[in-house]
Structure formats: C-alpha cells, structure tokens
Amino acid sequence: MMQILQVTDTHLYGSAGGRLRGVETDSSLQATLDEAFARVQNYQAVLVTGDLVQDDKAGYLRFRSFFGGLKKPVLCIPGNHDEPEVMRKELNCEPFRICGAHAIGGWNFVMLDSYDPGHVGGRLVKNELARLDAALSESPLHAMVCLHHHPIAMGSRWLDGVGLADTESFWKIIEAHSHVRAVVWGHVHQAFDGTRGNVRLFATPSTGAQFLPKSDRYAVDSRPPAYRSFELHADGRIDSSVHWVESAQLRQTAS
Ligand SMILES: [Fe+2]
C-alpha cells in the first residue's frame, strides 16, 4: 500500500497577505499542509492539481517556498489561473514534476494539461489526448489520471459551464485502457467521490475557500480548507478521504 497526498487550488499570490473570497490563501495553505504532514507521514508523492497561483506569476516563488523542501516528488499540472510557461520555468527544479507521466510505487500518475488560454473552462488539445493514450499504452501499471478541470457534470450549472470541453474524447481513451483506476481533478473547490464504470472519480476541495456544491449560481461555501489522502493498493484498490482543516476555519473567521 502506498500513500499519496493531494492538495489543489492553492491560488497563491506574490505576497503572503493575498486574499481570495475572504481567505488568506497563504496562511490557509500553511494550516492545511501542517495538518496533512502531521497525519500522513509516509506519503510517496504530492499531487497538486492546478491553480497553484491566482493570476500572479510571483505566486510561484511562494509555491516553491511551501513545497520546495519536500523529499518526495510534487506532481503539478496547470489550472486556468496558472501561466503554464512561467510555472514550468519557476518550478524547473526538485522536487517538482510538471505534467508528464510518473511511475511511483507500482502506480502510473498521468498528469494532464487542460489549460485553455483565455478560458476558465479546460480543453485537452489533440497532442495531450495522444499523450494520454500513449502513456496508458506504454505502462501496464495501475493508472491514476489527473487534470485540473472536471470531466463530468458536477450538477452545478455555473461550474458545469466551465468544465472540460469535449469530454467524449477523454472518456473514449480512458475506456480503452482497463488499467485506469481513477480520474482525479481540482477546479470545483468541493469534495466528490464517485465512479464511472470501474473507474473511481475524485474531486478535492481547495486549500482555500470552497464552492457550494449543486448550486446553480456562483456561491461560496463556508467549509474550511481541505486536502485529500489516497491509499493505493497493489491490487488496484483505492481508499481515499478528504480531510477538512478546521483550525484554518477558525483563523479565517477570526480575521
Ligand atoms: Fe480552476
């Protein structure tokens, strides 16, 4: 069994005090990581599924200061608030891996780039779909596929307008590879745990403010920051939980 951490939508700014939807993204990430590393000590990798920064290139330096000292790979993909080229440049050092496919502990993590310039929603361009297909063809390992944008409807009208475009092409590839065990995303700032056929589906709340699930219009939820842990078994089974960081909520309402 191998443990993996997922944190997502950190939305960092270049300075520590930056706030998004009332939450100081820097201190809520700190509180989230403190709790995550205290609870899960034997993790083999950290997944960061997009929106590392909030439209602020200087946020990558802060991101590096949070994650740069980790001794395990930090697998990152861009979200709509990222700048992929700057992200690649600023995180072109250990322990970061940007996109790609990575074999870790008997599992293959396929990290997709769904960034679509000028759009809040996402798209997997032809080359990225081909890369997904190739990565799954080349490795027989249990696969976890990660992307920023949701590839299924979340039952929330405004969010479903800014999900992944052309989900059919994506699912056609996933369906062609029976060793895909899970598809994991960020972007929706809420917890979701479902299935599609034999594939587990996971969305993970932000390390900052959350969105209200099932809301037709944009609405912020009052739930605290969160992260997700995965236990990935050698036979392909997955146990996973979302951990809400209540201590961060206290800080949030106190400020
Ligand atoms: Fe996003």
Side-chain angles (χ1 to χ4, degrees):
M1 189 273 285
M2 158 174 70
Q3 288 184 306
I4 296 287
L5 286 172
Q6 183 195 7
V7 296
T8 192
D9 297 84
T10 50
H11 291 277
L12 295 176
Y13 294 89
S15 62
R19 283 169 169 264
L20 183 63
R21 303 180 188 102
V23 176
E24 210 176 272
T25 57
D26 194 281
S27 61
S28 74
L29 174 59
Q30 187 62 63
T32 305
L33 293 180
D34 287 349
E35 191 163 315
F37 294 140
R39 184 194 295 260
V40 185
Q41 279 142 16
N42 289 318
Y43 64 93
Q44 295 303 304
V46 181
L47 309 175
V48 188
T49 41
D51 286 355
L52 280 57
V53 303
Q54 178 61 23
D55 308 318
D56 185 345
K57 294 175 196 176
Y60 292 115
L61 290 177
R62 299 204 68 79
F63 188 85
R64 214 160 72 189
S65 73
F66 277 104
F67 294 91
L70 299 184
K71 302 285 180 259
K72 295 291 160 68
V74 178
L75 313 185
C76 302
I77 49 178
N80 47 296
H81 288 284
D82 285 302
E83 277 206 41
E85 277 175 29
V86 180
M87 179 172 155
R88 281 182 191 277
K89 202 172 126 232
E90 296 292 352
L91 302 181
N92 182 25
C93 54
E94 287 298 323
F96 303 106
R97 314 272 188 277
I98 310 299
C99 298
H102 309 273
I104 299 168
W107 282 65
N108 187 24
F109 297 86
V110 185
M111 308 300 291
L112 296 175
D113 179 355
S114 59
Y115 176 84
D116 189 10
H119 294 94
V120 178
R123 178 176 298 279
L124 297 169
V125 297
K126 219 184 239 174
N127 279 351
E128 199 63 356
L129 287 168
R131 187 172 73 80
L132 168 64
D133 196 29
L136 295 173
S137 300
E138 282 160 16
S139 168
L141 299 176
H142 301 304
M144 175 175 274
V145 175
C146 300
L147 74 172
H148 180 66
H149 295 85
H150 45 301
I152 62 159
M154 298 296 299
S156 178
R157 197 164 56 209
W158 74 276
L159 265 178
D160 288 337
V162 292
L164 184 72
D166 185 19
T167 51
E168 297 78 15
S169 299
F170 172 74
W171 287 115
K172 209 170 128 191
I173 295 169
I174 299 296
E175 283 164 13
H177 298 279
S178 59
H179 58 303
V180 175
R181 303 294 170 219
V183 175
V184 177
W185 60 88
H187 189 52
V188 297
H189 293 228
Q190 62 190 269
F192 176 82
D193 182 337
T195 56
R196 188 180 186 280
N198 294 320
V199 180
R200 301 283 302 273
L201 308 176
F202 299 100
T204 299
S206 166
T207 59
Q210 315 303 352
F211 297 141
L212 190 64
K214 308 287 181 197
S215 175
D216 273 342
R217 280 179 294 180
Y218 167 84
V220 172
D221 201 351
S222 60
R223 301 207 74 171
Y227 65 97
R228 182 182 281 284
S229 61
F230 291 103
E231 293 182 357
L232 305 181
H233 300 273
D235 63 2
R237 274 183 312 111
I238 298 172
D239 293 311
S240 181
S241 318
V242 166
H243 308 278
W244 301 94
V245 182
E246 303 290 344
S247 60
Q249 187 181 37
L250 292 178
R251 199 179 305 190
Q252 174 188 340
T253 42
S255 58

